[in-house]
Amino acid sequence: AKQRGKSQYAFFESSMKMNLIRSMTLENSLRSAIKNEEFYLHYQPQIDVRTGLIRGFEALIRWEHPQLGKISPLEFIHIAESTGLIVPIGAWVMETACKKMVDLNRVTGSNMIISVNISPVQISNEQFPAMVEETLKRSGLSPNLLELEITENLFINSFEVAIKIFDRLKAIGIKMSLDDFGTGYSSLAYLKNLPIDTLKIDQAFTRDLLIHKSNEHLMESIILMAHTLEMDVIVEGVEELEQFDRLKTYQCDHVQGYYFSRPMDTNQLEDYFIKMK
Ligand code: C2E
Ligand code: CA
Ligand code: CA
Ligand code: CA
């Protein structure tokens, strides 16, 4: 037993070393990933429940590492955050996504929204509102077609600072969306006091929706509450028709999930619109 304990310890230690080496490698590679054009975006449609039309798309970053292959954002975003690299990476995402949406809207003759994920690290940067304004100007996207997805983590540090930033961003005319609702320190105070346009209910709720009766009530109550506060609701992670049907009866505004479409690269996006015509 002693022998085994020792080798397990050695294994643990070496796997820790491997993890450390991997994250150091990723950190180094991240520094040159924009320049080397290793990032690209996927776009996942958000469907308007009442009309069945596309309300907009969420932009999701992808990274193809030259040696390690595809790296999930779940792995590299926090490295980008801790090194501050999320600032230029986030600016690249916004620029690329806004330009794509201007193209798509022109080609399809529509006014679809682009939702961009924003890290708390980015938004706390003084230059952030100016960066957003410049990006809108350069891309020609109308401000009301840009939506920023933020999470509740932003408010952990300072609620007052967050409100100031929100006011500046709202003055630009863009939409603000609260992502992953229900996973963090969801508080009614945030919801009541912040100018949030859209509430995104986390996919964990959707997953449990048809499993227990209490989940149905919870989902319905959150949607009702959001509407009382004059917010739109997007439910994430809709994978089955049955979930969609249920959400319709709860007056959910928009849905997003594999049942409608996986996130698509730009080629798939073009095919998608050709098929829809
Ligand atoms: P998120 O913002 O909550 O994005 C939704 C995630 O759920 C995406 O994972 C999406 O591919 C996945 N998803 C969509 N529909 C379904 C479904 O029906 N079922 C299931 N099981 N999953 C679904 P992805 O693309 O791997 O992104 C993971 C997270 O990485 C995102 O979660 C977001 O927090 C972060 N992220 C992605 N792109 C960016 C970015 O450009 N900037 C920042 N700051 N974070 C990003
Ligand atoms: Ca999101
Ligand atoms: Ca989410
Ligand atoms: Ca998430």
Side-chain angles (χ1 to χ4, degrees):
K2 206 173 181 186
Q3 206 49 41
R4 196 163 148 231
K6 206 172 178 184
S7 67
Q8 272 177 354
Y9 175 73
F11 173 74
F12 180 60
E13 197 184 36
S14 76
S15 84
M16 271 189 14
K17 250 184 228 154
M18 301 257 291
N19 285 341
L20 192 64
I21 290 168
R22 181 170 164 99
S23 59
M24 280 167 58
T25 307
L26 293 183
E27 183 181 326
N28 264 324
S29 312
L30 269 180
R31 293 182 195 284
S32 50
I34 294 184
K35 197 178 78 242
N36 297 344
E37 301 184 5
E38 291 163 14
F39 292 126
Y40 56 100
L41 296 183
H42 272 179
Y43 299 89
Q44 188 179 34
Q46 303 172 329
I47 314 294
D48 185 313
V49 173
R50 270 170 295 260
T51 63
L53 299 173
I54 300 173
R55 173 254 192 195
F57 288 89
E58 179 176 2
L60 294 157
I61 193 167
R62 298 291 177 260
W63 184 19
E64 180 84 39
H65 188 281
Q67 284 85 38
L68 300 171
K70 288 188 172 67
I71 316 284
S72 164
L74 295 173
E75 185 174 8
F76 73 82
I77 291 292
H78 78 268
I79 302 174
E81 287 176 333
S82 64
T83 52
L85 287 166
I86 193 69
V87 173
I89 293 171
W92 178 88
V93 170
M94 191 175 292
E95 173 105 22
T96 307
C98 288
K99 284 181 173 162
K100 188 81 221 169
M101 201 42 62
V102 169
D103 280 356
L104 266 186
N105 280 336
R106 193 187 299 125
V107 170
T108 60
S110 41
N111 275 311
M112 296 178 291
I113 292 169
I114 185 73
S115 295
V116 179
N117 290 287
I118 304 296
S119 151
V121 177
Q122 270 177 284
I123 220 172
S124 321
N125 183 302
E126 289 241 326
Q127 309 294 313
F128 184 76
M131 182 278 279
V132 174
E133 276 175 314
E134 279 158 28
T135 305
L136 285 168
K137 217 180 281 166
R138 266 200 307 274
S139 66
L141 187 75
S142 156
N144 66 325
L145 299 183
L146 174 63
E147 179 171 73
L148 306 187
E149 295 195 4
I150 52 111
T151 61
E152 289 154 329
N153 297 339
L154 178 64
F155 312 120
I156 291 175
N157 295 326
S158 168
F159 192 68
E160 282 68 40
V161 173
I163 287 190
K164 274 210 196 94
I165 301 168
F166 261 67
D167 286 344
R168 267 207 69 186
L169 291 170
K170 285 304 296 178
I172 300 173
I174 60 181
K175 289 189 163 65
M176 299 299 286
S177 158
L178 191 61
D179 201 358
D180 300 344
F181 183 77
T183 59
Y185 300 86
S186 312
S187 152
L188 271 176
Y190 298 155
L191 292 183
K192 253 185 53 183
N193 296 321
L194 284 171
I196 293 165
D197 304 282
T198 311
L199 196 68
K200 291 194 83 174
I201 301 180
D202 194 74
Q203 50 196 44
F205 283 99
T206 318
R207 213 177 297 129
D208 295 344
L209 185 60
L210 303 168
I211 301 174
H212 299 294
K213 254 264 168 312
S214 62
N215 296 321
E216 298 177 10
H217 296 317
L218 196 55
M219 180 69 91
E220 194 172 14
S221 309
I222 296 173
I223 293 173
L224 199 64
M225 176 201 69
H227 286 164
T228 306
L229 296 171
E230 297 183 316
M231 295 169 189
D232 264 16
V233 175
I234 301 180
V235 174
E236 295 190 271
V238 179
E239 295 182 353
E240 297 163 33
L241 177 61
E242 230 186 320
Q243 295 168 328
F244 177 54
D245 284 339
R246 195 62 61 87
L247 291 165
K248 256 194 287 193
T249 69
Y250 299 160
Q251 318 282 308
C252 160
D253 305 287
H254 311 287
V255 281
Q256 188 180 338
Y258 294 167
Y259 177 68
F260 304 95
S261 169
R262 295 218 165 220
M264 296 176 279
D265 65 27
T266 50
N267 287 330
Q268 293 168 315
L269 200 58
E270 277 159 27
D271 293 349
Y272 185 76
F273 279 105
I274 291 168
K275 260 190 259 150
M276 295 235 316
K277 271 183 200 159

Coordinates of all heavy atoms in Angstrom, one line a residue, residues 18 22-23 58 71 154 156 174 180 188 266:
M18 N 2.5 18.4 -16.0 CA 2.0 18.5 -17.4 C 1.0 19.6 -17.6 O 1.0 20.3 -18.6 CB 1.3 17.1 -17.7 CG 2.3 16.0 -17.6 SD 2.8 15.4 -19.2 CE 1.3 14.7 -19.8
R22 N 1.4 22.7 -20.0 CA 0.3 23.0 -21.0 C -0.1 24.4 -20.9 O -0.2 25.1 -21.9 CB -0.8 22.0 -20.9 CG -1.9 22.3 -22.0 CD -2.9 21.2 -22.0 NE -4.1 21.6 -22.7 CZ -4.3 21.2 -24.0 NH1 -3.5 20.5 -24.7 NH2 -5.4 21.6 -24.6
S23 N -0.5 24.9 -19.7 CA -1.0 26.2 -19.6 C 0.1 27.3 -19.9 O -0.2 28.3 -20.4 CB -1.7 26.5 -18.2 OG -0.8 26.3 -17.2
E58 N -25.0 34.6 -31.6 CA -24.0 34.7 -30.6 C -22.7 34.3 -31.2 O -22.5 33.3 -31.8 CB -24.2 33.8 -29.3 CG -23.1 34.0 -28.3 CD -23.3 33.2 -27.0 OE1 -24.4 32.5 -26.9 OE2 -22.5 33.3 -26.1
I71 N -8.4 24.2 -29.2 CA -8.4 24.4 -27.8 C -9.8 25.1 -27.4 O -10.1 26.1 -28.0 CB -7.3 25.4 -27.4 CG1 -6.0 25.1 -28.1 CG2 -7.2 25.4 -25.8 CD1 -5.2 23.9 -27.5
L154 N -19.1 40.2 -12.9 CA -18.7 41.6 -13.0 C -19.1 42.4 -11.8 O -18.4 43.3 -11.4 CB -19.4 42.1 -14.2 CG -19.2 43.6 -14.5 CD1 -17.7 43.9 -14.8 CD2 -20.0 44.1 -15.7
I156 N -19.2 41.3 -8.6 CA -18.7 40.8 -7.3 C -17.8 41.9 -6.7 O -17.9 42.1 -5.5 CB -17.9 39.5 -7.5 CG1 -18.9 38.3 -7.9 CG2 -17.1 39.1 -6.3 CD1 -18.2 37.0 -8.2
I174 N -26.1 50.6 -27.3 CA -26.1 49.1 -27.5 C -26.9 48.4 -26.4 O -27.4 49.0 -25.5 CB -24.6 48.6 -27.4 CG1 -24.0 48.9 -26.0 CG2 -23.8 49.2 -28.5 CD1 -22.6 48.5 -25.8
D180 N -25.7 33.4 -18.5 CA -25.6 32.3 -17.5 C -26.4 32.6 -16.3 O -26.0 32.3 -15.2 CB -24.1 32.1 -17.1 CG -23.2 31.8 -18.2 OD1 -23.7 31.4 -19.3 OD2 -22.0 31.9 -18.0
L188 N -31.7 39.8 -7.1 CA -32.7 40.7 -7.6 C -32.2 42.1 -7.7 O -32.6 42.9 -8.5 CB -33.9 40.6 -6.7 CG -35.0 39.5 -7.1 CD1 -36.1 39.5 -6.0 CD2 -35.5 39.8 -8.4
T266 N -18.1 30.3 -40.8 CA -18.7 31.2 -41.8 C -19.2 30.5 -43.0 O -20.1 30.9 -43.6 CB -17.7 32.4 -42.1 OG1 -16.4 31.8 -42.5 CG2 -17.5 33.3 -41.0

